[in-house]
Structures are given as C-alpha cells and as structure tokens.
Amino acid sequence: MPGVFICEEIEDLPIREIGGEESDISAESPIGVFDSGLGGLTVAREIMRNLPNERIVYFGDTARVPYGNKSKATIERYSRQIVRFLKTQDIKAVVVACNTATALAIDEVRRTAGIPVIGVIEPGAKMAVKATKNKRIGVIATRATIQAGEYASVIRGLDPEIRVLGQACPMLVPLVEEGWIHDRITDEIILRYLDDLLEHGVDTLILGCTHYPLLRSEIRKLVGGGITLINPAYETAIELGQMLSEQGLRSQTMRSPEEPNPYRFFVSDDAGRFTDFANSILPVDVKTARVVPIEEY
C-alpha cells in the first residue's frame, strides 16, 4: 500500500541501562509517546498522519492497564518509570497520550523529563472553547479523568462562562478493544451515556479518552450534525508540531518509505494482543512490539 511503512522486527534493538550515557537530541530524534495501553495509538496515528517526517517510539503499559482506577501517586510513579525508559531511546519530546495520566501526572512528567512534554487535555480543551457557540461543553472520559476535573479546569481558565458537563463512560474502552465498534449494543450504551449531556444542550463534545476517536463515526451518527465532536488526539498532533517548531526540534528531513523502523513499539506485557490492535488502526504494518520490564526503571 503506497505510503505505508513496515516496522521491522525489533527484538535485537538495544535498551540502554538506566544511567547510561545519553546522546544529544536533535530534530531527527524520535518522539516518545506513552499510554496506559492501547488507546494512545490513536494519538500516534494522528502524529503519523500530520507529522509524517517524525519518528516515534511508543510505549503501552499493557501490564498495568487500566490507569483509571489507580491513585495519583501510582500514576505519577508509572509515568516516571515510562519516561525514564523512553529517554534511553534518545527521544526529543514526550507525548502523554493518555487522558488519565495527563490529568493526574502531567506536572510530574514536566518536572522530571528534562525535554518538552505535551499532554492530550489542553489541546482538546482549547479547541472545544473555540468551537462552542452556546458555552455548553460535554466531556466523555474515564471515571478518573472526569473526577480529576482537568478538562473543566482548563476550559474555565480560558472562558469562565462556559459550563462543562462530564460523563464517565467506563464500558466504552472494553467494547472498542473487543472490536465491537459498529455494533447495536455499543450504540445503545453510547446513547445511555450521552442522554444527560444531550438533555443539557451541549453543542460541543470532547472525546476525552484516547479510545473514543475510534467511535467517532458511531457517535456522530447518534448525535447528529448539530454537535461538534472534538478529537484531542488530532489536536495534540497539531499542537505537538507547533511546539517542536518553536523549540527548533521539528524534523525537516523527508523520510523514504524504505527507511527501516521509523516507528518502534514497546509494551509491558502481551505484545501479541498489542500488535493485533495496532494493525487494526494504524497506517503501518506493526510486525512486533518488544516487552520491557518497566518496573526496573
């Protein structure tokens, strides 16, 4: 398929020890992207589409998913470990491609990373503020993201007059990962979750979990064209490009489709399930992902 990169086997790629000598980053260094598991691949997909010159190192914490039922201290610890690992891959920036980790750990990641960091909440919140006409914005997300209130905080910081209504949708992630995207049961559950938001007249809806963009067409079908859907994964990729340009870190080198390993994938468990899901949504052929003992970082 034209324009599709094949990610070659990475079993023999070295992983440097913690504390090993690090190379100087440059515009040609990869971007580190991490998530609690699979959902952050929607963010990686948008980076691939909108920043085609960039290389990516993706880590999915599949051994410890979900993050939505864990404490702030635990998610901060997980995030520190993941960033330490990603920095062994000489990354130039970190994308926290998880709404829960962004809500609960972005400050800690920025404090400790030592390189530019972007999360998925601010880009989506800013676009929602631009989009709303009646100043009523809905947010659907995991329970932890809704309870953290970070979307509401960012939105109200931009426009205190906006009313933000949140709805936790815990059943949507397993439905997506089960592949039940175009399914009557999924449609019924989406409508059940959205009923209160629609009754309150929201005109803008943030898909505040990285799995939810995969349900965008179903949600659009169910809510109609009168509600603007905000995809934070897309907005994050656009803002990432702007941030890299401002930092002088945006790659200007056109990559050849024949270049090996422009994208590398690592997980903390169950690489087979990860690659199956990745191949169902990414514009690349993901042959394998390497399992990393992340607790050692």
Side-chain angles (χ1 to χ4, degrees):
M1 176 156 69
V4 171
F5 295 94
I6 296 178
C7 296
E8 297 181 345
E9 297 289 334
I10 58 175
E11 291 300 322
D12 296 327
L13 282 177
I15 299 178
R16 293 200 311 277
E17 297 296 326
I18 305 170
E21 184 177 348
E22 296 187 10
S23 302
D24 292 334
I25 63 171
S26 72
E28 304 312 314
S29 299
I31 297 160
V33 181
F34 80 87
D35 178 54
S36 59
L38 307 178
L41 289 168
T42 61
V43 180
R45 179 175 66 175
E46 295 297 341
I47 297 171
M48 292 173 185
R49 288 172 171 172
N50 293 281
L51 302 172
N53 295 342
E54 299 294 346
R55 296 159 179 82
I56 295 171
V57 177
Y58 183 95
F59 180 85
D61 198 1
T62 47
R64 304 185 294 195
V65 69
Y67 281 9
N69 58 5
K70 295 178 173 64
S71 70
K72 176 180 173 66
T74 295
I75 294 172
E76 286 180 337
R77 177 169 62 85
Y78 289 177
S79 298
R80 285 194 300 269
Q81 290 171 337
I82 294 166
V83 171
R84 288 189 196 115
F85 162 69
L86 288 172
K87 290 188 73 175
T88 69
Q89 304 299 302
D90 297 325
I91 59 171
K92 64 184 177 183
V94 174
V95 178
V96 185
C98 171
N99 282 271
T100 302
T102 300
L104 298 179
I106 190 73
D107 290 340
E108 177 68 6
V109 173
R110 285 178 171 147
R111 184 182 71 82
T112 59
I115 53 178
V117 175
I118 187 171
V120 290
I121 289 179
E122 285 188 14
K126 288 191 285 190
M127 182 52 65
V129 170
K130 292 180 182 178
T132 185
K133 300 294 191 297
N134 69 0
K135 295 186 182 294
R136 293 185 181 184
I137 296 174
V139 181
I140 55 174
T142 66
R143 284 197 178 97
T145 299
I146 295 298
Q147 290 170 358
E150 192 65 20
Y151 272 108
S153 177
V154 174
I155 289 168
R156 289 172 184 146
L158 295 168
D159 186 342
E161 296 182 0
I162 291 178
R163 184 180 181 190
V164 182
L165 297 100
Q167 175 63 57
C169 305
M171 293 181 68
L172 294 186
V173 167
L175 287 169
V176 169
E177 294 192 358
E178 197 64 33
W180 292 12
I181 293 175
H182 306 290
D183 189 280
R184 178 179 55 83
I185 293 174
T186 302
D187 288 352
E188 291 175 359
I189 292 172
I190 290 171
L191 281 174
R192 185 82 172 264
Y193 282 139
L194 293 183
D195 185 59
D196 190 53
L197 298 181
L198 297 177
E199 281 191 5
H200 282 84
V202 300
D203 73 345
T204 303
L205 181 65
I206 298 174
L207 308 182
C209 170
T210 49
H211 284 74
Y212 297 175
L214 299 174
L215 294 169
R216 189 176 186 277
S217 63
E218 294 302 297
I219 294 172
R220 166 60 63 219
K221 177 182 70 178
L222 295 170
V223 304
I227 295 178
T228 300
L229 301 183
I230 303 297
N231 178 2
Y234 170 79
E235 303 302 335
T236 299
I238 299 304
E239 192 158 311
L240 171 65
Q242 295 169 352
M243 182 184 77
L244 293 175
S245 294
E246 291 168 0
Q247 298 279 340
L249 290 174
R250 186 160 179 171
S251 175
Q252 303 300 321
T253 303
M254 294 292 292
R255 283 193 287 99
S256 165
E258 287 73 37
E259 177 187 341
N261 267 345
Y263 309 125
R264 289 177 273 159
F265 300 91
F266 299 86
V267 293
S268 50
D269 192 28
D270 201 353
R273 182 166 179 262
F274 175 89
T275 55
D276 287 346
F277 188 81
N279 281 315
S280 73
I281 69 169
L282 293 181
V284 299
D285 181 8
V286 182
K287 289 187 175 181
T288 189
R290 182 168 178 178
V291 176
V292 173
I294 197 63
E295 290 283 1
E296 296 180 8
Y297 290 82

Short mmCIF file of all heavy atoms in Angstrom, two decimals, residues 145-195:
data_model
loop_
_atom_site.label_atom_id
_atom_site.label_comp_id
_atom_site.label_asym_id
_atom_site.label_seq_id
_atom_site.Cartn_x
_atom_site.Cartn_y
_atom_site.Cartn_z
N THR A 145 -10.50 10.49 34.83
CA THR A 145 -10.34 11.75 34.12
C THR A 145 -11.47 12.71 34.50
O THR A 145 -11.23 13.90 34.74
CB THR A 145 -10.33 11.52 32.60
OG1 THR A 145 -9.22 10.68 32.27
CG2 THR A 145 -10.20 12.83 31.84
N ILE A 146 -12.69 12.22 34.56
CA ILE A 146 -13.82 13.07 34.94
C ILE A 146 -13.64 13.57 36.36
O ILE A 146 -13.82 14.77 36.66
CB ILE A 146 -15.15 12.32 34.79
CG1 ILE A 146 -15.42 11.97 33.32
CG2 ILE A 146 -16.30 13.15 35.36
CD1 ILE A 146 -15.54 13.15 32.39
N GLN A 147 -13.27 12.67 37.29
CA GLN A 147 -13.11 13.07 38.69
C GLN A 147 -11.97 14.05 38.88
O GLN A 147 -12.04 14.93 39.75
CB GLN A 147 -12.91 11.83 39.55
CG GLN A 147 -14.15 10.96 39.67
CD GLN A 147 -13.89 9.62 40.32
OE1 GLN A 147 -12.75 9.28 40.67
NE2 GLN A 147 -14.93 8.81 40.46
N ALA A 148 -10.92 13.94 38.07
CA ALA A 148 -9.80 14.88 38.18
C ALA A 148 -10.22 16.29 37.79
O ALA A 148 -9.66 17.27 38.29
CB ALA A 148 -8.64 14.41 37.31
N GLY A 149 -11.19 16.40 36.89
CA GLY A 149 -11.72 17.72 36.52
C GLY A 149 -10.78 18.59 35.72
O GLY A 149 -10.98 19.81 35.64
N GLU A 150 -9.77 17.99 35.09
CA GLU A 150 -8.78 18.80 34.41
C GLU A 150 -9.33 19.47 33.16
O GLU A 150 -8.98 20.61 32.85
CB GLU A 150 -7.56 17.93 34.05
CG GLU A 150 -6.34 18.72 33.59
CD GLU A 150 -5.76 19.62 34.66
OE1 GLU A 150 -6.03 19.39 35.86
OE2 GLU A 150 -5.02 20.55 34.30
N TYR A 151 -10.18 18.78 32.41
CA TYR A 151 -10.80 19.43 31.25
C TYR A 151 -11.58 20.67 31.67
O TYR A 151 -11.46 21.74 31.07
CB TYR A 151 -11.71 18.46 30.50
CG TYR A 151 -11.02 17.63 29.46
CD1 TYR A 151 -10.79 16.27 29.67
CD2 TYR A 151 -10.58 18.19 28.26
CE1 TYR A 151 -10.15 15.49 28.72
CE2 TYR A 151 -9.93 17.43 27.31
CZ TYR A 151 -9.72 16.08 27.54
OH TYR A 151 -9.09 15.31 26.58
N ALA A 152 -12.40 20.51 32.72
CA ALA A 152 -13.20 21.64 33.21
C ALA A 152 -12.30 22.77 33.67
O ALA A 152 -12.57 23.95 33.41
CB ALA A 152 -14.12 21.19 34.33
N SER A 153 -11.20 22.44 34.35
CA SER A 153 -10.29 23.46 34.85
C SER A 153 -9.65 24.26 33.72
O SER A 153 -9.60 25.49 33.76
CB SER A 153 -9.20 22.80 35.71
OG SER A 153 -8.26 23.74 36.16
N VAL A 154 -9.17 23.54 32.69
CA VAL A 154 -8.54 24.23 31.56
C VAL A 154 -9.57 25.08 30.81
O VAL A 154 -9.31 26.24 30.46
CB VAL A 154 -7.88 23.22 30.61
CG1 VAL A 154 -7.36 23.93 29.36
CG2 VAL A 154 -6.74 22.50 31.31
N ILE A 155 -10.75 24.52 30.58
CA ILE A 155 -11.79 25.26 29.84
C ILE A 155 -12.21 26.50 30.58
O ILE A 155 -12.30 27.59 29.99
CB ILE A 155 -12.98 24.32 29.57
CG1 ILE A 155 -12.61 23.26 28.53
CG2 ILE A 155 -14.20 25.12 29.11
CD1 ILE A 155 -13.61 22.14 28.40
N ARG A 156 -12.46 26.38 31.86
CA ARG A 156 -12.90 27.55 32.63
C ARG A 156 -11.79 28.57 32.79
O ARG A 156 -12.06 29.76 32.94
CB ARG A 156 -13.44 27.11 33.99
CG ARG A 156 -14.77 26.37 33.87
CD ARG A 156 -15.21 25.77 35.17
NE ARG A 156 -16.43 24.99 35.01
CZ ARG A 156 -16.72 23.90 35.69
NH1 ARG A 156 -15.86 23.44 36.60
NH2 ARG A 156 -17.85 23.26 35.49
N GLY A 157 -10.55 28.11 32.76
CA GLY A 157 -9.45 29.06 32.76
C GLY A 157 -9.40 29.89 31.50
O GLY A 157 -8.94 31.04 31.53
N LEU A 158 -9.88 29.34 30.41
CA LEU A 158 -9.93 30.07 29.14
C LEU A 158 -11.18 30.90 29.01
O LEU A 158 -11.16 31.98 28.41
CB LEU A 158 -9.84 29.07 27.97
CG LEU A 158 -8.54 28.28 27.86
CD1 LEU A 158 -8.69 27.13 26.86
CD2 LEU A 158 -7.39 29.20 27.45
N ASP A 159 -12.30 30.41 29.56
CA ASP A 159 -13.58 31.13 29.49
C ASP A 159 -14.43 30.72 30.68
O ASP A 159 -15.08 29.67 30.65
CB ASP A 159 -14.31 30.83 28.18
CG ASP A 159 -15.57 31.67 28.00
OD1 ASP A 159 -16.07 32.22 28.99
OD2 ASP A 159 -16.05 31.78 26.85
N PRO A 160 -14.46 31.53 31.75
CA PRO A 160 -15.19 31.17 32.97
C PRO A 160 -16.69 31.03 32.77
O PRO A 160 -17.38 30.45 33.62
CB PRO A 160 -14.87 32.33 33.93
CG PRO A 160 -13.69 33.02 33.36
CD PRO A 160 -13.74 32.81 31.88
N GLU A 161 -17.21 31.55 31.66
CA GLU A 161 -18.65 31.49 31.44
C GLU A 161 -19.11 30.15 30.88
O GLU A 161 -20.30 29.85 30.84
CB GLU A 161 -19.08 32.61 30.48
CG GLU A 161 -18.87 34.00 31.04
CD GLU A 161 -19.36 35.07 30.08
OE1 GLU A 161 -19.86 34.70 28.99
OE2 GLU A 161 -19.24 36.25 30.42
N ILE A 162 -18.18 29.34 30.44
CA ILE A 162 -18.54 28.06 29.84
C ILE A 162 -18.95 27.06 30.92
O ILE A 162 -18.29 26.92 31.95
CB ILE A 162 -17.38 27.49 29.01
CG1 ILE A 162 -17.16 28.35 27.75
CG2 ILE A 162 -17.65 26.04 28.60
CD1 ILE A 162 -16.00 27.91 26.90
N ARG A 163 -20.04 26.35 30.65
CA ARG A 163 -20.49 25.27 31.53
C ARG A 163 -19.95 23.96 30.97
O ARG A 163 -20.14 23.65 29.79
CB ARG A 163 -22.01 25.23 31.60
CG ARG A 163 -22.54 24.20 32.58
CD ARG A 163 -24.06 24.21 32.61
NE ARG A 163 -24.56 23.24 33.58
CZ ARG A 163 -25.83 22.89 33.69
NH1 ARG A 163 -26.73 23.45 32.89
NH2 ARG A 163 -26.21 22.00 34.58
N VAL A 164 -19.28 23.19 31.82
CA VAL A 164 -18.69 21.92 31.41
C VAL A 164 -19.43 20.79 32.11
O VAL A 164 -19.56 20.78 33.34
CB VAL A 164 -17.19 21.86 31.75
CG1 VAL A 164 -16.59 20.55 31.26
CG2 VAL A 164 -16.45 23.05 31.14
N LEU A 165 -19.92 19.85 31.33
CA LEU A 165 -20.62 18.69 31.87
C LEU A 165 -19.82 17.44 31.54
O LEU A 165 -19.52 17.19 30.36
CB LEU A 165 -22.03 18.59 31.29
CG LEU A 165 -22.96 19.77 31.64
CD1 LEU A 165 -23.01 20.73 30.46
CD2 LEU A 165 -24.36 19.28 31.98
N GLY A 166 -19.48 16.66 32.55
CA GLY A 166 -18.68 15.46 32.35
C GLY A 166 -19.50 14.19 32.51
O GLY A 166 -20.42 14.13 33.33
N GLN A 167 -19.15 13.18 31.74
CA GLN A 167 -19.81 11.88 31.83
C GLN A 167 -18.77 10.78 31.73
O GLN A 167 -18.09 10.64 30.71
CB GLN A 167 -20.85 11.71 30.73
CG GLN A 167 -21.50 10.34 30.67
CD GLN A 167 -22.30 10.01 31.92
OE1 GLN A 167 -23.21 10.75 32.30
NE2 GLN A 167 -21.95 8.93 32.60
N ALA A 168 -18.63 10.00 32.80
CA ALA A 168 -17.74 8.83 32.74
C ALA A 168 -18.40 7.73 31.92
O ALA A 168 -19.60 7.46 32.07
CB ALA A 168 -17.45 8.34 34.16
N CYS A 169 -17.60 7.09 31.07
CA CYS A 169 -18.13 6.05 30.17
C CYS A 169 -17.24 4.79 30.26
O CYS A 169 -16.56 4.43 29.28
CB CYS A 169 -18.17 6.56 28.73
SG CYS A 169 -19.08 8.09 28.49
N PRO A 170 -17.21 4.13 31.41
CA PRO A 170 -16.24 3.05 31.62
C PRO A 170 -16.42 1.85 30.69
O PRO A 170 -15.46 1.09 30.48
CB PRO A 170 -16.46 2.66 33.08
CG PRO A 170 -17.84 3.12 33.41
CD PRO A 170 -18.04 4.37 32.61
N MET A 171 -17.59 1.63 30.13
CA MET A 171 -17.81 0.44 29.31
C MET A 171 -17.32 0.60 27.87
O MET A 171 -17.20 -0.39 27.15
CB MET A 171 -19.30 0.07 29.30
CG MET A 171 -19.82 -0.39 30.64
SD MET A 171 -21.57 -0.86 30.58
CE MET A 171 -21.49 -2.34 29.56
N LEU A 172 -17.01 1.82 27.45
CA LEU A 172 -16.67 2.02 26.05
C LEU A 172 -15.29 1.47 25.70
O LEU A 172 -15.09 0.96 24.60
CB LEU A 172 -16.75 3.51 25.70
CG LEU A 172 -18.15 4.13 25.75
CD1 LEU A 172 -18.11 5.56 25.23
CD2 LEU A 172 -19.16 3.30 24.96
N VAL A 173 -14.33 1.58 26.60
CA VAL A 173 -12.98 1.08 26.30
C VAL A 173 -12.98 -0.42 26.02
O VAL A 173 -12.45 -0.86 25.00
CB VAL A 173 -11.99 1.44 27.42
CG1 VAL A 173 -10.68 0.67 27.25
CG2 VAL A 173 -11.71 2.95 27.40
N PRO A 174 -13.56 -1.27 26.90
CA PRO A 174 -13.56 -2.70 26.58
C PRO A 174 -14.33 -3.03 25.30
O PRO A 174 -13.96 -3.98 24.59
CB PRO A 174 -14.21 -3.35 27.81
CG PRO A 174 -14.84 -2.25 28.58
CD PRO A 174 -14.09 -1.01 28.25
N LEU A 175 -15.36 -2.27 24.98
CA LEU A 175 -16.09 -2.52 23.74
C LEU A 175 -15.21 -2.24 22.52
O LEU A 175 -15.20 -2.99 21.54
CB LEU A 175 -17.35 -1.66 23.69
CG LEU A 175 -18.49 -2.09 24.62
CD1 LEU A 175 -19.57 -1.02 24.69
CD2 LEU A 175 -19.09 -3.43 24.19
N VAL A 176 -14.45 -1.15 22.60
CA VAL A 176 -13.54 -0.82 21.49
C VAL A 176 -12.47 -1.89 21.36
O VAL A 176 -12.18 -2.37 20.24
CB VAL A 176 -12.89 0.57 21.71
CG1 VAL A 176 -11.74 0.79 20.73
CG2 VAL A 176 -13.93 1.68 21.57
N GLU A 177 -11.88 -2.29 22.47
CA GLU A 177 -10.80 -3.28 22.41
C GLU A 177 -11.31 -4.66 22.00
O GLU A 177 -10.55 -5.48 21.49
CB GLU A 177 -10.07 -3.33 23.75
CG GLU A 177 -9.34 -2.03 24.05
CD GLU A 177 -8.37 -2.13 25.22
OE1 GLU A 177 -8.28 -3.22 25.83
OE2 GLU A 177 -7.69 -1.13 25.51
N GLU A 178 -12.60 -4.90 22.20
CA GLU A 178 -13.20 -6.15 21.76
C GLU A 178 -13.54 -6.11 20.26
O GLU A 178 -13.86 -7.14 19.67
CB GLU A 178 -14.48 -6.43 22.57
CG GLU A 178 -14.97 -7.85 22.52
CD GLU A 178 -14.01 -8.85 23.12
OE1 GLU A 178 -13.30 -8.50 24.09
OE2 GLU A 178 -13.95 -10.00 22.62
N GLY A 179 -13.43 -4.90 19.68
CA GLY A 179 -13.74 -4.75 18.27
C GLY A 179 -15.21 -4.52 17.98
O GLY A 179 -15.64 -4.56 16.82
N TRP A 180 -16.00 -4.22 19.03
CA TRP A 180 -17.43 -4.01 18.87
C TRP A 180 -17.73 -2.54 18.59
O TRP A 180 -18.48 -1.89 19.32
CB TRP A 180 -18.19 -4.46 20.11
CG TRP A 180 -18.14 -5.95 20.34
CD1 TRP A 180 -17.33 -6.86 19.71
CD2 TRP A 180 -18.94 -6.69 21.26
NE1 TRP A 180 -17.57 -8.11 20.19
CE2 TRP A 180 -18.55 -8.05 21.14
CE3 TRP A 180 -19.93 -6.35 22.17
CZ2 TRP A 180 -19.13 -9.06 21.91
CZ3 TRP A 180 -20.51 -7.35 22.94
CH2 TRP A 180 -20.12 -8.69 22.80
N ILE A 181 -17.14 -2.00 17.56
CA ILE A 181 -17.30 -0.58 17.26
C ILE A 181 -18.61 -0.32 16.52
O ILE A 181 -19.38 0.57 16.88
CB ILE A 181 -16.08 -0.07 16.46
CG1 ILE A 181 -14.84 -0.11 17.36
CG2 ILE A 181 -16.33 1.34 15.94
CD1 ILE A 181 -13.55 0.25 16.66
N HIS A 182 -18.87 -1.08 15.48
CA HIS A 182 -20.11 -0.92 14.71
C HIS A 182 -21.07 -2.02 15.16
O HIS A 182 -21.25 -3.02 14.48
CB HIS A 182 -19.82 -0.99 13.22
CG HIS A 182 -18.78 -0.03 12.76
ND1 HIS A 182 -18.99 1.33 12.71
CD2 HIS A 182 -17.49 -0.23 12.37
CE1 HIS A 182 -17.89 1.93 12.29
NE2 HIS A 182 -16.97 1.01 12.08
N ASP A 183 -21.68 -1.80 16.32
CA ASP A 183 -22.49 -2.84 16.93
C ASP A 183 -23.69 -2.20 17.63
O ASP A 183 -23.56 -1.14 18.25
CB ASP A 183 -21.65 -3.65 17.93
CG ASP A 183 -22.37 -4.88 18.45
OD1 ASP A 183 -23.22 -4.74 19.35
OD2 ASP A 183 -22.07 -5.97 17.95
N ARG A 184 -24.83 -2.83 17.55
CA ARG A 184 -26.05 -2.27 18.14
C ARG A 184 -25.90 -2.09 19.65
O ARG A 184 -26.38 -1.10 20.22
CB ARG A 184 -27.23 -3.21 17.84
CG ARG A 184 -28.56 -2.76 18.45
CD ARG A 184 -29.67 -3.73 18.09
NE ARG A 184 -29.32 -5.09 18.48
CZ ARG A 184 -29.50 -5.57 19.71
NH1 ARG A 184 -29.97 -4.79 20.67
NH2 ARG A 184 -29.18 -6.83 20.00
N ILE A 185 -25.25 -3.05 20.31
CA ILE A 185 -25.07 -2.93 21.76
C ILE A 185 -24.23 -1.70 22.10
O ILE A 185 -24.55 -0.95 23.03
CB ILE A 185 -24.40 -4.21 22.31
CG1 ILE A 185 -25.34 -5.40 22.17
CG2 ILE A 185 -23.99 -4.02 23.77
CD1 ILE A 185 -24.74 -6.72 22.55
N THR A 186 -23.17 -1.47 21.34
CA THR A 186 -22.32 -0.30 21.57
C THR A 186 -23.12 0.98 21.36
O THR A 186 -23.01 1.94 22.15
CB THR A 186 -21.10 -0.34 20.64
OG1 THR A 186 -20.37 -1.55 20.88
CG2 THR A 186 -20.19 0.85 20.89
N ASP A 187 -23.93 1.02 20.31
CA ASP A 187 -24.77 2.20 20.06
C ASP A 187 -25.71 2.47 21.24
O ASP A 187 -25.87 3.62 21.67
CB ASP A 187 -25.60 2.01 18.79
CG ASP A 187 -24.76 2.09 17.53
OD1 ASP A 187 -23.58 2.45 17.63
OD2 ASP A 187 -25.30 1.80 16.44
N GLU A 188 -26.30 1.42 21.78
CA GLU A 188 -27.22 1.60 22.90
C GLU A 188 -26.50 2.13 24.14
O GLU A 188 -27.03 2.99 24.86
CB GLU A 188 -27.91 0.27 23.22
CG GLU A 188 -28.89 -0.18 22.14
CD GLU A 188 -29.46 -1.56 22.42
OE1 GLU A 188 -29.08 -2.16 23.44
OE2 GLU A 188 -30.29 -2.02 21.62
N ILE A 189 -25.30 1.64 24.37
CA ILE A 189 -24.53 2.10 25.54
C ILE A 189 -24.10 3.55 25.35
O ILE A 189 -24.15 4.36 26.29
CB ILE A 189 -23.33 1.16 25.78
CG1 ILE A 189 -23.83 -0.21 26.24
CG2 ILE A 189 -22.38 1.76 26.81
CD1 ILE A 189 -22.76 -1.27 26.33
N ILE A 190 -23.66 3.91 24.14
CA ILE A 190 -23.28 5.30 23.87
C ILE A 190 -24.46 6.22 24.15
O ILE A 190 -24.32 7.26 24.83
CB ILE A 190 -22.81 5.46 22.41
CG1 ILE A 190 -21.46 4.77 22.20
CG2 ILE A 190 -22.68 6.95 22.05
CD1 ILE A 190 -21.03 4.69 20.74
N LEU A 191 -25.65 5.87 23.65
CA LEU A 191 -26.83 6.71 23.87
C LEU A 191 -27.17 6.81 25.35
O LEU A 191 -27.57 7.88 25.84
CB LEU A 191 -28.02 6.15 23.09
CG LEU A 191 -28.03 6.47 21.59
CD1 LEU A 191 -29.18 5.74 20.91
CD2 LEU A 191 -28.15 7.98 21.35
N ARG A 192 -27.00 5.72 26.07
CA ARG A 192 -27.28 5.74 27.51
C ARG A 192 -26.35 6.72 28.21
O ARG A 192 -26.76 7.49 29.09
CB ARG A 192 -27.09 4.32 28.06
CG ARG A 192 -27.46 4.15 29.53
CD ARG A 192 -28.96 3.96 29.70
NE ARG A 192 -29.28 3.61 31.06
CZ ARG A 192 -29.45 2.35 31.49
NH1 ARG A 192 -29.32 1.35 30.64
NH2 ARG A 192 -29.76 2.13 32.74
N TYR A 193 -25.06 6.69 27.84
CA TYR A 193 -24.10 7.61 28.45
C TYR A 193 -24.36 9.05 28.05
O TYR A 193 -24.19 9.98 28.86
CB TYR A 193 -22.68 7.22 28.04
CG TYR A 193 -22.09 6.04 28.78
CD1 TYR A 193 -21.34 5.09 28.11
CD2 TYR A 193 -22.25 5.89 30.16
CE1 TYR A 193 -20.76 4.01 28.78
CE2 TYR A 193 -21.68 4.83 30.83
CZ TYR A 193 -20.94 3.89 30.14
OH TYR A 193 -20.38 2.83 30.81
N LEU A 194 -24.74 9.29 26.81
CA LEU A 194 -24.86 10.65 26.30
C LEU A 194 -26.19 11.31 26.62
O LEU A 194 -26.35 12.52 26.42
CB LEU A 194 -24.65 10.67 24.78
CG LEU A 194 -23.25 10.34 24.26
CD1 LEU A 194 -23.20 10.46 22.75
CD2 LEU A 194 -22.20 11.22 24.91
N ASP A 195 -27.15 10.54 27.09
CA ASP A 195 -28.51 11.05 27.27
C ASP A 195 -28.55 12.33 28.11
O ASP A 195 -29.17 13.33 27.72
CB ASP A 195 -29.38 9.96 27.92
CG ASP A 195 -30.83 10.38 28.03
OD1 ASP A 195 -31.44 10.67 26.98
OD2 ASP A 195 -31.36 10.43 29.16
#
